[in-house]
């Protein structure tokens, strides 16, 4: 059967501050999605949380960017916002930028990643969810999964993967996109995605048959809103095994806690720490940025899982390294490169400082 997997997320209020989602918001979301399942709109669903971001994971047969599915997500976020407002949770309705739904959740604030595929005889998928960072945070791990033979043995030894993959990259500043093929355009791809604040991998396809392998959320909230409204806290879906990277090859890049933009006030670089579900609650300096991974086996569109894939002592060292990096980089205080460069700063007093002193600046000889 052809099934669509939709992951739609929003921050609609935090407990305490920006650290986690209140369980009553999750209960509200579950109640609504259970109703939609009974109505037959969706096949199955899971409600999850990463930090202060509420995650709706849904399966259905209606294809991507479907109006009714997006409306359901939007109405669920509105209902959860009402609960958040009653409880005076922090930043209630933070990510909901618009008042009225108009057919599609795109550009309205919430982030989404969706893919439609023919369910294979066995269909393992992993949903990654991050808090306190931006969509470009997936660039490095996606490159390693699908284009780095030192990470993914299958690129070398699995004939079904040996041709390589095609990466669709979005320029989120100029609003344009390009497809690049690996391994032959590897260096061109890296030239772009090494600038993750601008060039973001949207999806990855298997070159031999065009089959969808991975998809990310690429919405950038501040660009949509024109002001600081929190980080995007992106999601990603990756299909595994049988001609795609094995589950372990998909998880392996996260054994290295690479530096990402986000953290405190969306304005600092810090390590992306892979954690189990119970530790997805960033508190130290509102971080460091977190990523969780939820494994599912699909069975006729039903979700078996989530399995907590980073709940493994083999990732302890990555967590320890992330803590060391956090100690080190935090000591830079307000200095770059801990603080983002001025053009990336989203929550900044810099314009006010410059305005205040505009008459006191003197020309250099
Ligand atoms: P406010 O305290 O003004 O909301 O901004 C800070 C913030 O939310 C970052 O943690
Ligand atoms: P969120 O994007 O997770 O709401 O975080 C906002 C923030 O400013 C944290 O310091
Ligand atoms: Mg928040
Ligand atoms: Mg968040």
């Amino acid at each position: 059967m052809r099934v669509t997997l939709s992951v739609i997320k929003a921050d609609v209020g935090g407990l305490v501050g920006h650290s986690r989602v209140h369980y009553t918001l999750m209960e509200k979301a579950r109640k609504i999605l259970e109703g939609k399942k009974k109505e037959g709109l969706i096949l199955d669903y899971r409600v999850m949380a990463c930090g202060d971001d509420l995650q709706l994971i849904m399966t259905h047969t209606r294809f991507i960017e479907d109006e009714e599915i997006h409306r359901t997500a939007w109405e669920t976020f509105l209902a959860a916002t009402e609960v958040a407002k009653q409880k005076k949770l922090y930043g209630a309705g933070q990510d909901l930028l618009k008042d009225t739904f108009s057919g599609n959740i795109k550009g309205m604030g919430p982030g989404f990643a969706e893919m439609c595929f023919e369910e294979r005889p066995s269909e393992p998928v992993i949903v990654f969810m991050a808090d306190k960072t931006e969509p470009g945070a997936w660039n490095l791990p996606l490159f390693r999964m699908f284009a780095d033979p030192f990470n993914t043995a299958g690129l070398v030894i699995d004939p079904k993967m040996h041709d390589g993959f095609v990466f669709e990259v979005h320029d989120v500043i100029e609003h344009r996109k390009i497809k690049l093929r690996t391994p032959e355009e590897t260096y061109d791809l890296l030239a772009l995605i090494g600038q993750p604040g601008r060039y973001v991998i949207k999806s990855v396809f298997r070159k031999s048959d065009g089959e969808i392998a991975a998809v990310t959320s690429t919405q950038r909230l501040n660009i949509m809103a024109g002001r600081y409204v929190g980080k995007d806290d992106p999601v990603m879906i990756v299909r595994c095994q049988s001609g795609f990277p094995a589950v372990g090859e998909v998880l392996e890049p996260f054994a290295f806690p690479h530096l990402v933009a986000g953290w405190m006030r969306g304005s600092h670089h810090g390590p992306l720490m892979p954690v189990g579900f119970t530790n997805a609650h960033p508190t130290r300096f509102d971080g460091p940025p977190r990523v969780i991974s939820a494994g599912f086996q699909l069975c006729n569109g039903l979700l078996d899982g989530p399995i907590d894939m980073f709940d493994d002592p083999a990732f302890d060292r990555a967590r320890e390294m992330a803590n060391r990096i956090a100690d080190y980089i935090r000591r830079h205080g307000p200095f770059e490169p801990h603080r983002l460069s001025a053009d990336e700063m989203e929550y900044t007093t810099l314009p006010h400082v410059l305005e205040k002193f505009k008459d006191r600046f003197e020309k250099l000889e």
Side-chain angles (χ1 to χ4, degrees), residues 17-18 90-91 94 132 228 263-266 286 347:
H18 295 282
Y90 198 72
Q94 176 181 284
K132 305 294 178 268
Y228 179 72
W263 207 345
M264 173 56 72
R265 297 169 188 267
D286 287 0
Y347 185 79

Side-chain angles (χ1 to χ4, degrees), residues 12-185:
V12 294
L15 170 80
V16 174
H18 295 282
S19 60
R20 64 165 78 198
V21 174
H22 198 287
Y23 73 96
T24 52
L25 271 55
M26 299 178 72
E27 278 178 358
K28 185 81 189 174
R30 283 194 186 104
K31 209 167 147 208
I32 294 171
L33 295 191
E34 183 61 31
K36 295 293 172 185
K37 185 175 172 179
K38 288 212 173 86
E39 276 173 29
L41 179 73
I42 56 176
L43 295 168
D44 206 359
Y45 70 92
R46 292 290 183 275
V47 174
M48 296 187 68
C50 181
D52 59 0
D53 290 86
L54 180 61
Q55 311 278 349
L56 312 179
I57 301 172
M58 297 174 278
T59 54
H60 53 93
T61 54
R62 302 176 64 94
F63 201 57
I64 62 170
E65 295 189 20
D66 177 76
E67 178 165 351
E68 287 313 308
I69 298 296
H70 281 212
R71 186 195 310 279
T72 294
W74 180 254
E75 287 174 356
T76 304
F77 294 138
L78 282 182
T81 298
E82 281 314 306
V83 180
K85 280 185 178 157
Q86 280 160 20
K87 295 194 168 299
K88 295 179 71 176
L89 298 180
Y90 198 72
Q94 176 181 284
D95 288 357
L96 309 187
L97 305 180
K98 301 272 165 71
D99 296 328
T100 42
F101 181 80
S102 54
N104 191 305
I105 216 163
K106 207 184 260 181
M108 299 191 74
F112 64 94
E114 298 178 289
M115 54 163 73
C116 176
F117 49 80
E118 184 70 33
E119 190 180 291
R120 295 172 291 167
S122 181
E123 187 64 64
V125 296
I126 300 181
V127 177
F128 292 89
M129 295 158 259
D131 189 32
K132 305 294 178 268
T133 189
E134 61 181 21
W138 304 130
N139 283 6
L140 186 149
L142 274 174
F143 177 82
R144 299 206 62 209
M145 283 172 215
F146 291 99
D148 179 1
F150 281 76
N151 180 87
T152 298
L155 292 168
V156 180
I157 61 183
D158 179 351
K160 294 198 286 300
M161 292 172 66
H162 199 79
D163 285 346
F165 289 86
V166 178
F167 290 73
E168 181 176 311
V169 177
H170 287 195
D171 175 349
V172 294
I173 307 290
E174 293 273 330
H175 295 284
R176 50 188 188 160
K177 59 184 180 182
I178 183 171
K179 281 190 177 166
L180 290 165
R181 299 157 71 82
T182 57
E184 61 272 35
E185 293 177 317

Side-chain angles (χ1 to χ4, degrees), residues 299-318:
C299 181
N300 305 319
L302 301 184
L303 292 160
D304 211 337
I307 301 302
D308 187 351
M309 306 305 281
F310 289 144
D311 179 20
D312 176 353
F315 285 98
D316 282 352
R317 251 199 310 259

